[in-house]
């Protein structure tokens, strides 16, 4: 069974703090993704990575950065947290496959509140 | 305008009813279509996927794709209270990189 874990379920931070969200997958997947989920807006892609040390911007990368030093771990960094970054953050992984079934497996999410 | 539109609901139905969900999209390049189910305080999990147009059935679930109308549907027969969740459609032009575009999700409540 694919397992994607995220370091925290709930996190409360103050405006201006540097925030690290960690994600680990145990299935040797090449691709990893960070999304944020807001009511009515669905999941929006922040960054993704298709290999160690590789990263690509998603649809809403502003205010975020990422790090992937090991294949199983993908970190999302909020350099200076702001209140509009209060959201649910979801990490996902997928194999670098060619079959339609090679879809994304999600972690449980981190609900971040920035005060 | 969003690339993928989905009615947010909530959609409330009695147990045993058919649940009908749909998404419309604007990008004609989408070829892979997925439905994810998300329970409260959990991450989404893949329910069904289809490629191009046509129908796919899996137990009580049927997914339909009409590429000419840019419209996809998910039907849940004999709905159960355990089907209460948010259902998200997602789509991709290809599997390369597995980049998905999601709809906003429809919240479904099945009442016993």
């Amino acid at each position: 069974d694919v397992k994607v874990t995220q370091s925290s379920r709930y996190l409360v931070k103050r405006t201006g703090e540097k925030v690290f969200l960690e994600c680990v997958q145990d299935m040797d997947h090449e691709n990893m993704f960070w999304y944020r989920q807001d009511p009515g807006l669905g999941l929006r892609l922040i960054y993704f990575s298709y290999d160690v040390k590789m990263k690509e911007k998603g649809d809403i990368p502003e205010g975020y950065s990422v790090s992937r030093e090991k294949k199983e771990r993908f970190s999302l960094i909020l350099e200076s947290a702001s209140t509009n970054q209060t959201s649910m953050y979801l990490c996902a992984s997928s194999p670098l496959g060619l079959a339609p079934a090679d879809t994304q497996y999600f972690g449980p999410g981190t609900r971040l509140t920035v005060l | 305008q969003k690339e993928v539109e989905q009615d947010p609901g909530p959609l409330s139905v009695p147990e045993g009813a058919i649940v009908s969900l749909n998404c419309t999209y604007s990008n004609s390049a989408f070829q892979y279509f997925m439905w994810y189910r998300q329970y409260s305080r959990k991450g989404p999990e893949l329910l069904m996927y289809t490629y191009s147009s046509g129908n796919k059935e899996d137990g009580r679930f049927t997914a339909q794709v009409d590429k000419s109308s840019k419209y996809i549907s998910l039907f849940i027969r004999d709905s159960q209270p355990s089907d209460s969740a948010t259902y998200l459609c997602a789509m991709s032009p290809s599997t390369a990189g597995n980049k998905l575009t999601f709809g906003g999700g429809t919240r479904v409540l099945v009442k016993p």
Side-chain angles (χ1 to χ4, degrees), chain B residues 13-19 60 76-81 83 110-112:
Chain B
V13 300
E15 184 175 355
I18 294 175
V19 176
R60 297 185 294 112
I76 308 173
R77 289 185 300 280
D78 188 25
S79 58
Q80 305 294 311
D83 295 325
V110 180
K111 295 183 176 177

Side-chain angles (χ1 to χ4, degrees), chain B residues 3-109:
Chain B
E3 227 174 343
V4 179
E5 297 276 1
Q6 188 175 3
D7 189 324
L11 183 62
S12 184
V13 300
E15 184 175 355
I18 294 175
V19 176
S20 174
L21 304 166
N22 58 75
C23 289
T24 57
Y25 62 94
S26 56
N27 187 347
S28 57
F30 288 141
Q31 294 192 75
Y32 296 93
F33 304 92
M34 292 123 204
W35 286 95
Y36 281 80
R37 177 175 62 196
Q38 185 176 22
Y39 290 116
S40 183
R41 291 184 290 276
K42 301 269 189 181
E45 55 179 345
L46 180 66
L47 201 55
M48 294 188 72
Y49 74 90
T50 51
Y51 170 69
S52 195
S53 284
N55 292 2
K56 186 171 183 177
E57 195 171 310
D58 184 2
R60 297 185 294 112
F61 298 89
T62 299
Q64 290 184 351
V65 175
D66 182 350
K67 288 187 72 181
S68 62
S69 301
K70 297 191 181 71
Y71 186 91
I72 70 170
S73 301
L74 177 72
F75 300 96
I76 308 173
R77 289 185 300 280
D78 188 25
S79 58
Q80 305 294 311
S82 58
D83 295 325
S84 297
T86 296
Y87 291 81
L88 299 138
C89 63
M91 34 199 92
S92 170
S94 72
T95 58
N98 299 109
K99 276 188 73 176
L100 299 176
T101 302
F102 284 85
T106 300
R107 190 165 151 244
V108 172
L109 180 61

Side-chain angles (χ1 to χ4, degrees), chain A residues 10 17 21 31 59 68 100:
Chain A
Y10 300 94
E17 278 193 78
L21 302 181
N31 298 330
D59 300 317
R68 193 166 180 201

Side-chain angles (χ1 to χ4, degrees), chain A residues 5-68:
Chain A
T5 56
Q6 294 183 231
S7 51
S8 306
R9 294 301 305 273
Y10 300 94
L11 211 51
V12 180
K13 295 291 181 181
R14 298 215 172 268
T15 302
E17 278 193 78
K18 191 168 186 175
V19 181
F20 293 85
L21 302 181
E22 303 284 336
C23 174
V24 177
Q25 51 97 0
D26 66 358
M27 283 301 291
D28 202 36
H29 285 168
E30 287 81 6
N31 298 330
M32 294 189 76
F33 307 81
W34 274 107
Y35 295 90
R36 61 178 284 175
Q37 184 176 27
D38 301 289
L41 297 178
L43 275 72
R44 292 180 291 166
L45 182 63
I46 304 170
Y47 268 97
F48 71 101
S49 167
Y50 52 88
D51 203 352
V52 175
K53 296 193 187 295
M54 305 300 287
K55 60 186 179 185
E56 294 272 348
K57 291 181 181 178
D59 300 317
I60 50 164
E62 296 78 19
Y64 303 95
S65 62
V66 291
S67 171
R68 193 166 180 201

